[in-house]
């Protein structure tokens, strides 16, 4: 089979690369010619014409099927937005007035404020940052979108570089009589265009309305971490709200160990994780959820064998915090859940206040029920948007939650 031949050829090349010698260059040249011949044969097979080729933009723009995707980039030369629309041959370029250094300064100020949010009122200073983000970044984009997109439509942000640290979804003028972004459009995020396309792939349907498997995972007393006092109440409240809509089970304490969580993730469509999130900014694949017997790392998450994952709510700190040195490498706990297969994920940009989570999740899950009385993972962005407009929590807690995926 060609698949076996391809595997064998790549192994031969790897062996040659690890075996220096006077004839290494000639051996590699010969092996590479053989590999290219093999790739050509593979591309002649039905459905494999693009094997090992970069995707075409005509394919990538399908990510904008349900709404535009806005790629925002900061470089030393300029800061720009590219708006991908499914009915446009090419993305729409929007130059931004902010500089890369300006983006870094906003990110630094934001980080300082969110670190101190529990000990002081940061509402005013956060508003200043979000106003600047609106004026220099988001408003020019919205100004264009309003010419092609109806009010309250969905949009997807695909931030790169330093922009990945900023809450674009929460930008706004924050001035009397003017609308913030959350009042104009419903924001989601995606790490890549391809990830969003995969998130929309066909999902098997259950015949029974209450056949959805929903697991709540809680760990209030992880070793070496502060106790989370609201975990039990949070899971109990969710169970009450989805009663009759899903088959709900929760695991806490000693039961929430790595092996058990891996098992339950494999067979559950919906998951709610209430625990400590531990980012590792120098080694992102070591970022983890703190469970009873250790850390459930990204390395483990992406190896999980999931049957039909739909929705994951990560009620944990810093679940969208990635590599501090390679900001374009979008690998964090929330994206790991998406790469593992979950089509829709709720994550957090900074520290979660445990005292507020119960209020937020209660309202959120009420908003996840559609007009037919069913839980619908495609409502997550709308549910989050509505929740944060009505829930009575501190301002920094209203804007730290983000939606990723479909």
């Amino acid at each position: 089979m060609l698949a076996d031949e391809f595997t064998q050829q790549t192994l031969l090349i790897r062996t040659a690369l690890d075996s220096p010698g006077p004839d290494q260059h000639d051996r590699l040249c010969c092996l590479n010619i053989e590999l290219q011949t093999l790739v050509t044969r593979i591309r002649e097979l039905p459905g494999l014409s693009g094997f090992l080729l970069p995707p075409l933009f005509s394919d990538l723009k399908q990510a904008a099927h349900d709404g535009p995707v806005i790629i925002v980039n900061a470089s030393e030369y300029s800061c720009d937005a590219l708006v991908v629309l499914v009915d446009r041959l090419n993305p729409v370029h929007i130059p931004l007035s902010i500089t890369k250094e300006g983006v870094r300064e906003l990110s630094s100020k934001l980080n300082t404020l969110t670190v101190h949010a529990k000990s002081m009122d940061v509402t005013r200073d956060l508003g200043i940052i979000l106003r600047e983000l609106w004026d220099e970044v988001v408003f020019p984009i919205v100004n264009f979108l309003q010419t092609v997109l109806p009010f309250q439509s969905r949009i997807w942000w695909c931030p790169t570089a330093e922009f990945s640290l900023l809450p674009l979804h929460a930008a706004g003028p924050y001035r009397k009589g003017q609308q913030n972004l959350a009042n104009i459009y419903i924001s989601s995020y995606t790490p890549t265009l391809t990830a969003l396309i995969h998130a929309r792939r066909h999902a098997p349907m259950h015949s029974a309305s209450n056949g959805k498997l929903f697991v709540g995972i809680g760990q209030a007393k992880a070793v070496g971490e502060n106790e989370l006092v609201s975990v039990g109440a949070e899971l109990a409240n969710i169970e009450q709200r989805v009663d009759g809509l899903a088959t709900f089970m929760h695991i806490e304490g000693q039961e929430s160990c790595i092996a058990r969580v891996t098992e339950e993730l494999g067979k559950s469509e919906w998951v709610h994780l209430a625990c400590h999130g531990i980012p590792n900014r120098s080694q992102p694949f070591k970022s983890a959820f703190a469970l009873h017997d250790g850390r459930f790392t990204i390395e483990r998450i992406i190896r999980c064998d999931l049957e039909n994952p739909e929705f994951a709510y990560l009620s944990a700190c810093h679940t969208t915090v990635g590599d501090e040195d390679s900001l374009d490498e979008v690998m964090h706990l929330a994206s790991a859940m998406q790469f593992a297969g979950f089509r829709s994920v709720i994550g957090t940009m900074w520290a979660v206040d445990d005292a507020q989570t119960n209020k937020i999740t209660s309202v959120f899950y009420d908003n996840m029920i559609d007009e037919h009385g069913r839980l619908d993972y495609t409502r997550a962005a709308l549910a989050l948007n509505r929740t944060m407009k009505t829930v009575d929590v501190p301002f920094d807690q209203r804007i730290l939650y983000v939606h990723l995926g479909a």
Side-chain angles (χ1 to χ4, degrees), residues 304-322:
C304 287
D305 183 15
L306 310 181
E307 291 180 15
N308 182 29
E310 286 187 352
F311 174 70
Y313 188 121
L314 311 181
S315 186
C317 298
H318 305 291
T319 56
T320 64
V321 174

Side-chain angles (χ1 to χ4, degrees), residues 23 33 38 49 51 79 82 95 99 125 171-172 183 188 199 221 238 279 297 311 319 392:
D23 63 338
I33 291 171
L38 189 56
S49 60
F51 181 70
C79 292
L82 292 175
T99 63
D125 291 331
N183 301 113
S188 295
K221 298 180 179 180
I238 296 168
T297 63
F311 174 70
T319 56
D392 182 21

Side-chain angles (χ1 to χ4, degrees), residues 66-97:
D66 295 331
V69 181
I70 305 116
I71 303 168
V72 194
N73 183 64
S75 78
E76 60 184 291
Y77 305 106
S78 65
C79 292
D80 306 270
L82 292 175
V83 182
V84 179
L85 298 159
V86 74
D87 59 352
R88 296 285 183 101
L89 187 62
N90 295 304
V92 177
H93 173 241
I94 300 174
L96 305 176
S97 60

Side-chain angles (χ1 to χ4, degrees), residues 217 258 261-263 265-266 271 273 275-278 284-291 295-306 309 312 314 319 331-342 345:
I217 300 165
I258 293 170
V261 168
T262 301
E263 177 187 354
L265 283 182
V271 60
L273 270 157
C275 58
H276 279 289
I278 305 171
F285 280 90
K286 301 295 184 184
S287 296
F289 297 108
L291 300 181
R295 297 188 173 186
F296 189 42
T297 63
I298 286 178
E299 290 175 323
R300 292 177 179 270
I301 292 169
I302 60 179
R303 290 203 304 265
C304 287
D305 183 15
L306 310 181
L314 311 181
T319 56
M331 182 51 67
H332 44 62
L333 289 166
S335 65
M337 296 296 281
Q338 193 177 5
F339 291 138
F342 285 94
V345 180

Side-chain angles (χ1 to χ4, degrees), residues 367-380:
N367 282 313
M368 286 294 279
I369 303 170
D370 67 15
E371 63 273 17
H372 303 293
R374 295 179 296 211
L375 290 171
D376 180 2
Y377 73 89
T378 65
R379 290 177 59 86

Side-chain angles (χ1 to χ4, degrees), residues 14-165:
R14 190 176 298 120
T15 300
L17 286 169
D18 293 335
S19 305
D23 63 338
Q24 184 187 44
H25 178 267
D26 291 339
R27 281 187 290 122
L28 284 171
C29 286
C30 291
L31 289 170
N32 186 57
I33 291 171
E34 292 171 3
L35 179 64
Q36 294 309 312
T37 301
L38 189 56
V39 167
T40 300
R41 290 169 58 200
I42 292 172
R43 288 176 183 162
E44 292 171 351
L45 296 175
L48 290 174
S49 60
F51 181 70
L52 292 184
L53 290 174
L56 299 172
F57 180 71
S58 58
D59 296 326
L60 288 175
K61 72 176 184 178
Q62 297 308 310
H65 182 272
D66 295 331
V69 181
I70 305 116
I71 303 168
V72 194
N73 183 64
S75 78
E76 60 184 291
Y77 305 106
S78 65
C79 292
D80 306 270
L82 292 175
V83 182
V84 179
L85 298 159
V86 74
D87 59 352
R88 296 285 183 101
L89 187 62
N90 295 304
V92 177
H93 173 241
I94 300 174
L96 305 176
S97 60
I98 197 168
T99 63
K100 184 175 183 179
E101 186 57 36
V103 178
R104 283 177 176 163
E105 288 178 10
L106 279 180
S107 176
S108 177
K109 290 177 185 176
L110 178 70
N111 182 64
T112 300
L113 286 178
T114 55
V115 166
H116 296 98
K118 272 195 174 184
S119 59
M120 58 186 287
D121 185 359
V122 298
T123 301
R124 178 181 174 277
D125 291 331
L126 273 177
I128 293 172
I129 291 174
L130 296 174
R131 189 177 303 126
E132 187 174 347
L133 188 59
W134 169 262
D135 291 339
E136 297 200 52
V137 179
V138 175
F139 175 70
I141 298 168
V142 171
N143 202 31
F144 163 73
L145 290 177
Q146 289 181 313
T147 68
V148 296
L149 195 66
F151 182 72
Q152 284 293 289
S153 296
R154 290 189 64 184
I155 62 175
W156 277 262
W157 295 99
C158 185
T160 67
E162 281 77 3
F163 278 113
S164 62
L165 303 174

Side-chain angles (χ1 to χ4, degrees), residues 189-368:
Y189 288 81
T190 183
T192 64
L193 295 175
T194 303
L196 184 54
I197 293 170
H198 288 169
R200 295 202 185 103
R201 68 194 187 281
H202 175 71
M205 299 295 292
H206 280 291
S207 56
S209 61
N210 64 345
K212 200 177 298 294
L213 301 178
F214 191 157
V215 61
I217 300 165
Q219 182 50 251
K221 298 180 179 180
V223 175
E225 305 294 335
N226 296 329
E227 182 177 358
L228 301 174
V229 297
S230 299
V231 168
E234 183 176 339
L235 295 182
N237 211 351
I238 296 168
E239 182 172 15
Q240 180 182 359
R241 276 164 167 74
V242 304
D243 183 42
L245 303 176
T247 301
F248 185 88
M249 68 169 295
H250 69 270
I251 53 177
E252 296 181 68
Q254 294 184 7
E255 287 188 325
S256 65
C257 58
I258 293 170
R260 178 72 186 282
V261 168
T262 301
E263 177 187 354
E264 297 302 332
L265 283 182
K267 59 189 180 185
S268 300
E269 289 135 303
W270 284 39
V271 60
H272 184 99
L273 270 157
C275 58
H276 279 289
I278 305 171
N280 188 323
R281 300 207 62 190
S282 60
Q283 295 179 287
F285 280 90
K286 301 295 184 184
S287 296
F289 297 108
L291 300 181
H292 172 68
D293 59 344
R295 297 188 173 186
F296 189 42
T297 63
I298 286 178
E299 290 175 323
R300 292 177 179 270
I301 292 169
I302 60 179
R303 290 203 304 265
C304 287
D305 183 15
L306 310 181
E307 291 180 15
N308 182 29
E310 286 187 352
F311 174 70
Y313 188 121
L314 311 181
S315 186
C317 298
H318 305 291
T319 56
T320 64
V321 174
D323 193 324
E324 62 185 343
D325 295 322
S326 302
L327 295 174
D328 284 331
E329 299 296 326
V330 189
M331 182 51 67
H332 44 62
L333 289 166
S335 65
M337 296 296 281
Q338 193 177 5
F339 291 138
F342 285 94
R343 296 164 173 82
S344 181
V345 180
I346 298 293
T348 55
M349 297 192 76
W350 50 81
V352 173
D353 184 348
D354 182 45
Q356 309 298 332
T357 56
N358 208 8
K359 297 179 190 176
I360 294 169
T361 53
S362 296
V363 179
F364 175 82
Y365 282 106
D366 284 344
N367 282 313
M368 286 294 279

